[in-house]
Amino acid sequence: MRGTVQIACLGRMNKCSGSVPRLRTFLLASVFLVTPASFSNVVAQSLPSELKISKPDEDTRMLVEADQMVYDYDRERVSALGNVQIYYGVYALQADKVVYDQKSARLVAEGNVRITEPSGNVITANYIDITDDFRTGFVRSLRVQTPDKARIAADRAEKQDDDITVFDKAVYTTCEPCRENPKKSPLWQIKASRIIYNTKDKMVYYKAAKLEFLGVPLLYTPYFAHPDPSRKRSSGFLTPNVGYDSTLGYHASAPYFWALSDSYDVTFSPTYYSKQGLLASTTWRHHLGTGLYNVRLSGIYQNDPDAFSGASGDQEYRGAIDSAGEFNLSKQWKFGWDVSIMSDKRFERDYDLIDDDEDKRSTIYLVGQGERNYFDARANYYNIMTDSLSQSDQAIIHPSIDYSAYAKSPILGGEGRLKVNSTSITRDSTSSTTVGGVTRTDGVQGTYNRTSVEASWKRKIIAPGGQVITPFSSLRGDAYWMPSKSGAPAALVDEDFAFRGMPTVGLDYRLPILATSGTTSHIFEPIAQIIVRPNEAKIGEVPNDDAQSLVFDDSILFDPDKFSGYDRVEGGTRANIGFQYRMQMASGWSVNALGGRSFQLAGRNSFATEDLTSTGLDSGLDTKVSDYVGRVGISSNKGFSAIARGRLDSNNAELKYAAVEASLSNDRYTGSLSYSFTDKRPSAGVTTVRQQITASASAKFADYWSLEGSSQYDIIERGLISGSLGLKYDDECFGISLKYSHERDIYTDSDSEQSIKLQVDFKSLGGGTASHSFDD
């Protein structure tokens, strides 16, 4: 068989005749919008190392198996006929007929020729003429498949010397052959009059090449090149991006990657916006053996600053410097950073250089990890990226240090632990809000330093009858240094130094009872816990920056200290009582449930005493007998799970908090649905009920086709917070997706925005993105 061989069609479809009609309407027009940026950026695995044969040892013998052997002593030829199999070192050759010419030292194989290389490449052809050491030769009607699924077919190939292999009338694709019609055109392919493979430079060069999609030529180029599989990095254009934004206009970007060496490179990412001009962005990356770092410089001279009127972006020059890196100082220690310096709050958000978050944390850190200890020190600066928030209200952390260590040997038969936290923060102005007549001081102006040290001990004892008794104790001290209290609330202590201590002793008692019924097992477990300690000192007299979040539910019911951070510490004598139930069925279904409440037995209730942030008030813990908390969960071994947790008022069982979530996952469908409810907390300044539903789902409705979507709905506001819907096609050689998303403005400082994004990926070749954004 002579001529160009077309070796694949769409995916692994058994009925290939229907593949093109199914895709043509949705894909063909889309591909004309987004074509590969440059063939010079084809990934390394795209080209096989066919005929790149290393010579076996001279002592290696060739083993030949065949139905018949014919010896021609006059012409010094040996012919192997019928089901020929030749093994030479790590190579294997199969053919209908093989003739060996001793004078020229060449092997000529004909009919269903198949060569398996040690790399895993499989070469098939009708005719191959090679030397007896498998190093040089030429082939006709060649087909090659690499382990990474790249495929090449050629009319003729010849290895000219140790470095150069030439393929004539070649076809390249990563699509698998159609089972029913292997000669049918693939979903996409590259046809070239000649492919030249240079093993020394590890590059592949194409002449007179064209890209075909669904049998339709999309792009022609007289020349292009890409690296071979062993070359992991090569200069070239990356995935292009085009789109539209109502403020920025139409935009297009074609990033270029420049591999300067094996250890450092540069990526140029210029983007032109029709309304604002050229955004220049350059990223430098450098690997130093023990770690790597990168630096990105971005900037623009805006043609129309008035488009951002009333916002921080209303200026001509805007830009940013971003840098991140991490280095291993030793096996236990690493040092790193992630830092951004911006001309204004919203630059990186407006130009889509960062996720659309309210702030970005710039951090420098040092981390150490041992067998029984841990160290973390980091300084944080939060770049506020929302115009409605003030940078001066945000604290600068310089630094926060955490250290934790477990004793190497048991102490009184139990586990000993030491925890240390030291935090220093500065805030330029006091951050406070007043809602419903309640003022919350979230942050105090000035510089504040706190160091907390806690030594703890616990021991688990298994008593007769399966009783689990765990005594525990701790001793904690907090030292505050507050040299600057300008503008501080009057409640704060007058001294520059303040100290508080908290000793704690407690006992946790559990009695798991196992019962079986047929193939179902049940575990009933009553739980009782008592904690004895003095009252919490200096409530509201020292700042509270890291313990402002408090949601009382089953997850913290048995925590000795229910506050989330170090700035508050629970005091007084308290008992926590609950009951846990677990069921396991042979079918794979399981149920777990827990319920209980907490009792303030003696001393001052920390949650009923107001501090600067009103933390604890109306939390369900601020009464002598707490609200009821509980959860019920169910799961199967078939991908379904659900959990519901909540809090009920201790007096009238009114719902105060609820969170319900269910998820399902199998081979074709995934989905999740969640509901959250939070009641008013007037004493804490929360005057509205909050209810929200979140849903997401994806369905694979045909081979390679899937539909996915998500939504977030505010029940109280009766409006959609965000939503998205996407259609996706993905097979072994091609992918395309179309996604629509919508975000409301009530949760951001931006206008409501809708966007449509199209992504195309010719696998191993490249792809592109097109997007369109518009305001409501």
Side-chain angles (χ1 to χ4, degrees):
M1 178 178 177
R2 298 297 298 274
T4 301
V5 181
Q6 295 180 326
I7 61 174
C9 72
L10 173 64
R12 294 180 288 273
M13 290 190 176
N14 293 326
K15 296 182 179 180
C16 299
S17 60
S19 62
V20 173
R22 176 180 292 180
L23 281 170
R24 186 180 298 274
T25 302
F26 177 66
L27 302 179
L28 190 54
S30 302
V31 171
F32 281 104
L33 295 176
V34 185
T35 55
S38 170
F39 294 127
S40 65
N41 193 47
V42 176
V43 287
Q45 69 265 26
S46 59
L47 204 282
S49 56
E50 64 279 323
L51 299 183
K52 182 185 175 182
I53 299 173
S54 58
K55 184 178 179 179
D57 295 338
E58 294 181 359
D59 295 335
T60 301
R61 294 190 176 186
M62 184 178 293
L63 174 64
V64 181
E65 297 179 359
D67 293 342
Q68 184 181 4
M69 300 290 292
V70 178
Y71 300 88
D72 187 339
Y73 294 103
D74 293 336
R75 292 190 295 176
E76 298 184 45
R77 289 184 178 180
V78 179
S79 299
L81 307 176
N83 298 315
V84 182
Q85 298 186 48
I86 298 178
Y87 302 96
Y88 183 50
V90 291
Y91 297 92
L93 183 149
Q94 298 172 301
D96 294 338
K97 177 183 178 181
V98 176
V99 177
Y100 174 57
D101 190 321
Q102 292 177 304
K103 292 181 180 180
S104 61
R106 302 188 72 86
L107 288 171
V108 177
E110 298 180 76
N112 299 312
V113 183
R114 179 185 177 95
I115 295 179
T116 303
E117 297 182 335
S119 63
N121 292 339
V122 177
I123 303 170
T124 59
N126 289 335
Y127 177 92
I128 294 181
D129 183 344
I130 57 177
T131 57
D132 61 1
D133 60 5
F134 279 64
R135 295 193 68 188
T136 61
F138 70 90
V139 298
R140 290 199 296 265
S141 298
L142 170 74
R143 292 184 179 92
V144 179
Q145 177 176 327
T146 67
D148 39 32
K149 305 303 181 183
R151 295 169 175 84
I152 285 185
D155 176 47
R156 183 178 184 274
E158 182 176 359
K159 188 169 180 63
Q160 297 179 347
D161 56 36
D162 287 345
D163 299 325
I164 304 296
T165 303
V166 179
F167 302 88
D168 291 330
K169 296 182 180 179
V171 175
Y172 168 79
T173 187
T174 57
C175 300
E176 291 190 3
C178 177
R179 295 178 182 177
E180 294 187 355
N181 187 6
K183 295 183 179 181
K184 188 175 183 64
S185 296
L187 178 61
W188 68 265
Q189 63 182 356
I190 300 174
K191 289 183 176 179
S193 63
R194 176 166 291 187
I195 297 176
I196 302 173
Y197 180 32
N198 189 317
T199 59
K200 182 178 181 180
D201 295 339
K202 298 182 180 180
M203 288 294 296
V204 185
Y205 304 92
Y206 291 77
K207 291 185 178 180
K210 62 180 178 181
L211 171 67
E212 292 185 357
F213 182 75
L214 296 175
V216 178
L218 291 183
L219 187 66
Y220 171 83
T221 178
Y223 170 86
F224 72 94
H226 65 74
D228 81 352
S230 62
R231 185 167 180 174
K232 304 302 182 183
R233 303 167 70 251
S234 179
S235 300
F237 284 97
L238 305 177
T239 300
N241 294 280
V242 297
Y244 174 79
D245 182 90
S246 57
T247 303
L248 306 177
Y250 293 98
H251 61 86
S253 175
Y256 183 81
F257 176 76
W258 186 10
L260 296 170
S261 77
D262 291 338
S263 60
Y264 52 87
D265 54 62
V266 178
T267 301
F268 301 98
S269 305
T271 304
Y272 180 76
Y273 294 90
S274 60
K275 292 185 179 181
Q276 298 297 346
L278 180 66
L279 172 70
S281 182
T282 301
T283 302
W284 163 272
R285 300 189 310 168
H286 192 185
H287 196 293
L288 296 176
T290 59
L292 57 89
Y293 72 95
N294 65 72
V295 179
R296 184 180 70 183
L297 306 177
S298 306
I300 187 173
Y301 177 84
Q302 296 187 140
N303 294 334
D304 183 20
D306 292 339
F308 302 96
S309 178
S312 59
D314 187 3
Q315 52 185 296
E316 292 181 340
Y317 293 98
R318 303 179 71 185
I321 301 174
D322 300 274
S323 180
E326 185 171 276
F327 292 88
N328 295 315
L329 305 180
S330 67
K331 292 182 179 181
Q332 291 81 27
W333 292 91
K334 64 181 180 180
F335 167 76
W337 70 89
D338 185 353
V339 177
S340 296
I341 302 174
M342 291 174 277
S343 62
D344 59 273
K345 293 181 179 181
R346 290 176 49 112
F347 168 67
E348 295 194 332
R349 284 181 61 189
D350 288 341
Y351 286 92
D352 203 22
L353 297 174
I354 195 173
D355 292 337
D356 195 18
D357 295 327
E358 291 187 355
D359 55 61
K360 181 185 186 302
R361 183 182 67 174
S362 292
T363 182
I364 301 174
Y365 60 88
L366 175 66
V367 176
Q369 178 70 62
E371 292 183 2
R372 303 185 64 84
N373 52 17
Y374 176 78
F375 177 89
D376 185 296
R378 59 186 64 227
N380 295 326
Y381 180 90
Y382 292 88
N383 300 88
I384 300 300
M385 304 179 70
T386 304
D387 281 327
S388 59
L389 301 178
S390 173
Q391 185 70 54
S392 63
D393 291 348
Q394 180 60 53
I396 302 172
I397 303 175
H398 48 74
S400 176
I401 300 173
D402 284 286
Y403 177 75
S404 175
Y406 290 89
K408 294 182 179 180
S409 302
I411 300 175
L412 299 177
E415 178 184 77
R417 184 183 182 186
L418 175 68
K419 287 200 307 181
V420 179
N421 174 268
S422 182
T423 300
S424 176
I425 65 172
T426 295
R427 186 180 281 105
D428 291 336
S429 61
T430 296
S431 174
S432 63
T433 56
T434 301
V435 179
V438 177
T439 299
R440 288 172 51 96
T441 304
D442 303 313
V444 178
Q445 177 183 352
T447 299
Y448 298 87
N449 309 273
R450 175 191 43 77
T451 297
S452 301
V453 180
E454 180 180 27
S456 62
W457 172 89
K458 68 177 180 180
R459 179 184 179 183
K460 181 178 289 188
I461 302 171
I462 307 300
Q467 303 173 90
V468 182
I469 303 173
T470 306
F472 57 89
S473 65
S474 66
L475 179 61
R476 171 175 158 178
D478 302 298
Y480 284 84
W481 178 46
M482 302 174 287
S484 172
K485 295 189 289 295
S486 175
L492 242 59
V493 294
D494 293 333
E495 299 86 0
D496 290 345
F497 292 93
F499 178 82
R500 69 182 179 193
M502 180 60 68
T504 301
V505 294
L507 184 72
D508 186 292
Y509 175 85
R510 303 179 184 225
L511 179 60
I513 301 172
L514 174 64
T516 59
S517 175
T519 59
T520 302
S521 63
H522 308 265
I523 297 178
F524 305 91
E525 185 179 30
I527 306 172
Q529 188 182 76
I530 186 168
I531 305 160
V532 180
R533 59 204 158 194
N535 295 333
E536 179 184 1
K538 302 189 184 303
I539 301 176
E541 298 179 17
V542 292
N544 177 10
D545 278 279
D546 70 353
Q548 298 181 15
S549 174
L550 177 62
V551 177
F552 178 44
D553 62 11
D554 61 284
S555 64
I556 65 170
L557 174 61
F558 294 103
D559 286 356
D561 185 357
K562 297 176 176 59
F563 285 110
S564 59
Y566 288 93
D567 285 334
R568 291 293 305 273
V569 55
E570 186 178 343
T573 298
R574 180 175 289 271
N576 302 310
I577 306 296
F579 183 84
Q580 185 166 224
Y581 168 74
R582 294 186 291 265
M583 180 187 72
Q584 182 66 54
M585 303 176 67
S587 62
W589 286 88
S590 64
V591 176
N592 70 85
L594 185 145
R597 63 196 312 195
S598 184
F599 301 82
Q600 184 74 23
L601 301 180
R604 182 168 57 178
N605 189 337
S606 292
F607 306 102
T609 306
E610 183 177 0
D611 69 356
L612 298 177
T613 64
S614 300
T615 301
L617 302 183
D618 288 333
S619 65
L621 288 164
D622 54 330
T623 55
K624 189 173 183 63
V625 179
S626 79
D627 290 346
Y628 297 93
V629 293
R631 74 161 188 270
V632 176
I634 184 171
S635 64
S636 74
N637 59 359
K638 299 185 182 299
F640 173 79
S641 65
I643 188 169
R645 52 178 21 114
R647 177 165 63 90
L648 302 177
D649 188 273
S650 60
N651 296 320
N652 53 22
E654 180 182 351
L655 184 64
K656 292 294 184 179
Y657 165 78
V660 182
E661 181 177 357
S663 63
L664 173 66
S665 177
N666 57 37
D667 293 339
R668 300 190 68 87
Y669 305 100
T670 62
S672 66
L673 179 66
S674 64
Y675 166 81
S676 64
F677 169 89
T678 304
D679 198 12
K680 301 175 183 178
R681 294 178 59 190
S683 299
V686 181
T687 59
T688 59
V689 175
R690 300 174 184 176
Q691 291 188 77
Q692 184 175 299
I693 294 178
T694 303
S696 65
S698 66
K700 185 178 181 181
F701 59 87
D703 288 338
Y704 317 118
W705 287 93
S706 62
L707 184 68
E708 57 185 27
S710 65
S711 65
Q712 199 172 6
Y713 183 81
D714 190 316
I715 297 176
I716 302 301
E717 296 289 337
R718 297 183 180 180
L720 190 70
I721 302 171
S722 63
S724 68
L725 182 65
L727 178 63
K728 183 178 181 180
Y729 175 89
D730 187 40
D731 65 19
E732 81 285 342
C733 68
F734 179 76
I736 185 170
S737 65
L738 184 65
K739 183 177 182 180
Y740 164 81
S741 60
H742 183 199
E743 182 174 349
R744 291 185 64 197
D745 61 351
I746 61 171
Y747 288 90
T748 70
D749 64 336
S750 303
D751 294 332
S752 293
E753 184 178 80
Q754 302 180 65
S755 65
I756 299 175
K757 179 180 288 187
L758 173 70
Q759 290 183 299
V760 176
D761 180 19
F762 294 86
K763 295 181 181 178
S764 86
L765 191 63
T769 302
S771 62
H772 182 88
S773 300
F774 47 95
D775 299 331
D776 286 353

